[in-house]
Amino acid sequence: MKALLKILFRNHWKGIFLIIILTIIDVGAQLYVIEIIPLILTCIKSGLYEDTFSMIDEVIMAIFCSIISTLFISYLSTSISSNFALNLKEKLFSIVMNINTVDEYSKINFSGLMTRLIRGVDTEQSFVLVFLRRILLLFVAAVWVIYSLIDMNLLFAFAFTIFLFIYGFLFILKLNQSANTYFKVKKLNGKLNNLFRDNIVGLKTIKLFSKEKYSSDTFKKAADNAYNEGYKFQNSLNFPYVFLIVMHIAVILFMLWALFIFDSNKKLAVDVFLALLYLLYLINHINAINPFIDIYSLAYTSATRIEEVLALERTPTHSNKKESDFKGIEFNNVSVNISDREILSDISFKIPQNSKNLIVGPVGAGKTSLIYSLIGTYKINSGSILINGENVQSESWDEKICLISDNLFLLKDNVFENVRLGDESITRDVVISACRDALFTKDLSFEVNEEGNNLSSDFKQRLSISRALAHDCEIYIFDNSFSQIESASKKIIKENIKKRLSDKIIIFIDNAFEDYQDMDNIIVMKNASIVDHGNHDYLIKNCETYKSLINYSGGK
């Protein structure tokens, strides 16, 4: 919650300050009306009608000021809460879209993530709205009432201030306790839902292994825990009503005290009447904080989830110092471990600019892991990866590397929009040229269904290649990107790629060797390590692993 409040006050402090000023005007106008009512009654009783009409004019002006202030407060609070929610949604979307490391993925449950975040931000918006309209008003009203009581009776004002201070402390403490309880309830309900889903999905397996009793007991225990915590939470929400009862008792005692000391002193009678009106005014605003109590627990839970994502925001770091003068890609003694398993071991090699490269190796050799470490999906444990002398761990290369894999994301839109993918700088001519090189023959206006269900696997891969060729990057990586394309077309597409991207770094990951013998550099991998690298002629003479792979594929 603290992180979100910092964002709110940092970005909208001017508007909040203006709301505070308007709230002071609003409360001042309302209390002025309360203060002048006894004087109007006295004037009417005494027959001073001219003074009465003059004071009625002042009351009308005060009411007008209160209405105008309330309207502006309503407008500003709505504007601030809406802008706060919009900016927060954009920030969260940007963070989620830029999450690309395994460590970051593991910190968040991505199932329904954006839905939960958007719903959470809407809750925060409602919370901010209630805070600006109700809580600030209550705080200003309490301060003003105490100030007004000081003029009447210093001892009474002091006692009332101590009472409000103690209540405020207990209120915040109890509110946080309720929010923590509600957070536990949400977690327990989530666990309960998961158990229910798992039981339904795995029902046959459970019955097969005679685990019905175990499953039933586990589910019942989780349900009991959720019920008990939920009961505690609902019961804890009763604490404001206890305070209101105490406040009403205090008002009654105050009235009895006034009657006890009351005599013919008219000033005392007016003061008592005014103090009573002040207390009733404050009680009315305290009654109005119930919406805040209801939404605080929801906002607390949502803020916890949102702040988990905000913590993943990366601060861009730009190093002016070049670690190398080499133009291209450098792997320097790179090792990567995931879940205590080494998936890359002491990898070192160089890929120069404007070069065509192939990475080969048996299944599980570490080819894709090598690429994932290059694009930042895998965090390296030791060594360094440099692109044009800059460390990829400290510089953002996301927009400079294009990865084309068999996991293709397709929009439910036409071919043109699927190729340019929101980049308005890409013209129709560029898209047509890219599709021509990928031998994608569908019209640009052809509507692609959800997940490309109306396209064959062959055409999905061609569309993926078209998208890559239309975007201008420095490095292009084709990871098993031609597996569904028939041989004759595959060869033409590869040749088109080599010609079109002749001034770029091209990296192919493939074990089909017949189209790659003209590669500038072939990297051979096995058991998470590099066995050898060089051109085809060198490797066919000196690398047994390479020769075995060629023989296994039926190549020469």
Side-chain angles (χ1 to χ4, degrees):
M1 185 67 79
K2 290 180 181 178
L4 293 186
L5 289 177
K6 284 181 181 178
I7 293 173
L8 173 66
F9 286 107
R10 183 172 63 242
N11 296 335
H12 304 284
W13 66 269
K14 292 179 181 178
I16 294 171
F17 180 74
L18 185 55
I19 287 177
I20 292 172
I21 298 298
L22 290 169
T23 302
I24 292 172
I25 294 172
D26 185 23
V27 172
Q30 292 180 30
L31 287 178
Y32 179 76
V33 172
I34 290 174
E35 290 169 0
I36 208 169
I37 285 175
L39 296 178
I40 291 175
L41 294 175
T42 302
C43 288
I44 291 173
K45 190 174 181 180
S46 304
L48 303 173
Y49 298 112
E50 289 186 7
D51 293 341
T52 301
F53 287 125
S54 175
M55 285 187 284
I56 288 175
D57 288 340
E58 293 178 9
V59 168
I60 292 172
M61 286 299 298
I63 292 173
F64 178 76
C65 287
S66 177
I67 292 172
I68 295 298
S69 300
T70 301
L71 290 175
F72 273 106
I73 290 169
S74 179
Y75 170 76
L76 285 172
S77 59
T78 301
S79 176
I80 289 172
S81 61
S82 299
N83 289 330
F84 168 72
L86 178 62
N87 295 336
L88 192 56
K89 286 175 183 176
E90 290 176 346
K91 189 182 190 71
L92 289 169
F93 182 76
S94 174
I95 293 171
V96 171
M97 290 301 293
N98 286 307
I99 288 174
N100 55 14
T101 70
V102 172
D103 289 345
E104 290 169 340
Y105 275 104
S106 64
K107 289 178 181 177
I108 300 178
N109 179 10
F110 273 79
S111 176
L113 175 64
M114 284 312 298
T115 302
R116 292 200 312 273
L117 287 179
I118 296 303
R119 191 166 59 237
V121 172
D122 290 340
T123 300
E124 297 304 320
Q125 180 178 352
S126 301
F127 170 76
V128 169
L129 199 61
V130 173
F131 176 80
L132 294 177
R133 289 184 181 178
R134 301 287 180 89
I135 301 305
L136 286 180
L137 183 62
L138 174 61
F139 180 77
V140 172
V143 172
W144 202 303
V145 165
I146 291 170
Y147 174 76
S148 300
L149 289 175
I150 289 174
D151 288 339
M152 298 179 187
N153 189 306
L154 186 61
L155 182 61
F156 179 73
F158 178 75
F160 188 68
T161 303
I162 296 297
F163 175 75
L164 283 181
F165 179 79
I166 293 173
Y167 170 72
F169 174 77
L170 294 175
F171 178 83
I172 294 171
L173 183 65
K174 195 67 178 175
L175 201 60
N176 285 326
Q177 287 177 352
S178 297
N180 284 315
T181 303
Y182 181 74
F183 187 66
K184 289 180 183 177
V185 172
K186 294 293 288 183
K187 290 185 72 174
L188 287 170
N189 283 332
K191 182 180 178 182
L192 191 63
N193 289 336
N194 288 335
L195 280 172
F196 183 76
R197 183 194 61 201
D198 293 345
N199 285 350
I200 295 299
V201 172
L203 191 59
K204 291 183 179 179
T205 305
I206 292 167
K207 288 184 176 180
L208 181 64
F209 290 96
S210 301
K211 298 294 185 182
E212 297 98 321
K213 187 176 186 304
Y214 170 78
S215 173
S216 176
D217 290 345
T218 304
F219 187 83
K220 186 176 183 304
K221 184 178 180 182
D224 288 343
N225 286 339
Y227 169 79
N228 291 332
E229 291 296 333
Y231 182 81
K232 288 180 186 177
F233 169 70
Q234 293 297 332
N235 192 51
S236 68
L237 293 180
N238 294 325
F239 72 92
Y241 302 108
V242 175
F243 171 76
L244 290 173
I245 291 170
V246 173
M247 284 287 290
H248 284 96
I249 291 173
V251 170
I252 293 170
L253 291 175
F254 175 77
M255 293 174 65
L256 291 173
W257 169 77
L259 290 171
F260 179 75
I261 65 169
F262 181 75
D263 54 19
S264 59
N265 189 336
K266 293 182 179 180
K267 184 179 183 308
L268 178 62
V270 171
D271 287 348
V272 169
F273 183 64
L274 270 178
L276 185 60
L277 289 177
Y278 290 150
L279 293 176
L280 291 175
Y281 174 78
L282 190 58
I283 288 174
N284 179 60
H285 285 302
I286 291 172
N287 274 320
I289 69 170
N290 285 329
F292 177 78
I293 296 168
D294 293 337
I295 202 170
Y296 181 81
S297 298
L298 294 172
Y300 178 87
T301 302
S302 300
T304 303
R305 289 172 176 163
I306 291 170
E307 287 172 3
E308 286 176 352
V309 177
L310 291 176
L312 297 177
E313 184 177 21
R314 289 193 290 272
T315 304
T317 57
H318 300 285
S319 173
N320 295 323
K321 181 182 177 182
K322 286 236 176 186
E323 296 188 28
S324 170
D325 294 326
F326 180 76
K327 297 295 183 180
I329 303 171
E330 291 181 84
F331 275 67
N332 298 318
N333 307 111
V334 172
S335 294
V336 176
N337 298 318
I338 294 181
S339 300
D340 297 325
R341 184 172 66 90
E342 189 173 54
I343 62 171
L344 289 179
S345 176
D346 197 27
I347 300 291
S348 294
F349 66 91
K350 291 183 179 181
I351 293 178
Q353 281 187 332
N354 311 336
S355 62
K356 305 184 295 291
N357 304 270
L358 172 66
I359 301 176
V360 297
V363 175
K367 304 185 292 295
T368 301
S369 299
L370 186 75
I371 297 307
Y372 281 179
S373 63
L374 173 63
I375 64 177
T377 302
Y378 289 163
K379 185 178 179 181
I380 65 175
N381 297 94
S382 62
S384 63
I385 303 174
L386 310 179
I387 299 178
N388 294 340
E390 297 175 347
N391 196 317
V392 296
Q393 301 297 310
S394 59
E395 298 291 333
S396 176
W397 284 86
D398 292 352
E399 297 180 0
K400 301 174 186 177
I401 301 175
C402 183
L403 172 62
I404 308 94
S405 68
D406 52 1
N407 295 321
L408 176 61
F409 167 74
L410 292 175
L411 300 172
K412 190 178 183 298
D413 209 329
N414 58 41
V415 169
F416 177 66
E417 294 299 336
N418 267 284
V419 171
R420 72 173 188 166
L421 209 60
D423 189 343
E424 296 183 359
S425 66
I426 297 176
T427 64
R428 290 184 67 85
D429 290 339
V430 172
V431 174
I432 290 170
S433 173
C435 289
R436 185 185 300 121
D437 284 343
L439 303 186
F440 185 83
T441 55
K442 298 286 186 184
D443 191 80
L444 296 191
S445 60
F446 179 82
E447 288 292 326
V448 179
N449 288 348
E450 191 95 26
E451 299 181 358
N453 290 333
N454 59 335
L455 291 176
S456 65
S457 299
D458 178 344
F459 271 85
K460 285 181 184 179
Q461 287 195 330
R462 293 176 193 233
L463 182 55
S464 175
I465 295 166
S466 302
R467 179 187 289 171
L469 297 179
H471 288 77
D472 184 27
C473 296
E474 294 187 24
I475 300 166
Y476 293 81
I477 304 169
F478 296 87
D479 184 4
N480 195 31
S481 305
F482 312 95
S483 58
Q484 303 299 320
I485 302 174
E486 50 89 17
S487 297
S489 298
K490 185 188 303 185
K491 186 171 184 178
I492 295 171
I493 293 170
K494 289 177 183 176
E495 289 302 318
N496 289 342
I497 289 172
K498 294 171 190 175
K499 289 177 184 177
R500 187 184 184 99
L501 306 177
S502 59
D503 59 341
K504 309 290 185 180
I505 293 177
I506 311 173
I507 301 174
F508 297 99
I509 301 176
D510 206 336
N511 279 342
F513 294 89
E514 62 273 12
D515 300 326
Y516 298 111
Q517 294 185 7
D518 62 339
M519 293 290 103
D520 299 317
N521 189 34
I522 300 173
I523 299 163
V524 184
M525 296 191 68
K526 185 178 181 181
N527 297 330
S529 300
I530 290 182
V531 178
D532 207 343
H533 61 90
N535 60 30
H536 172 75
D537 293 336
Y538 166 80
L539 292 172
I540 203 71
K541 294 177 182 177
N542 299 288
C543 183
E544 291 298 325
T545 303
Y546 184 70
K547 286 190 283 186
S548 298
L549 289 169
I550 289 182
N551 292 333
Y552 182 76
S553 68
K556 296 181 181 179

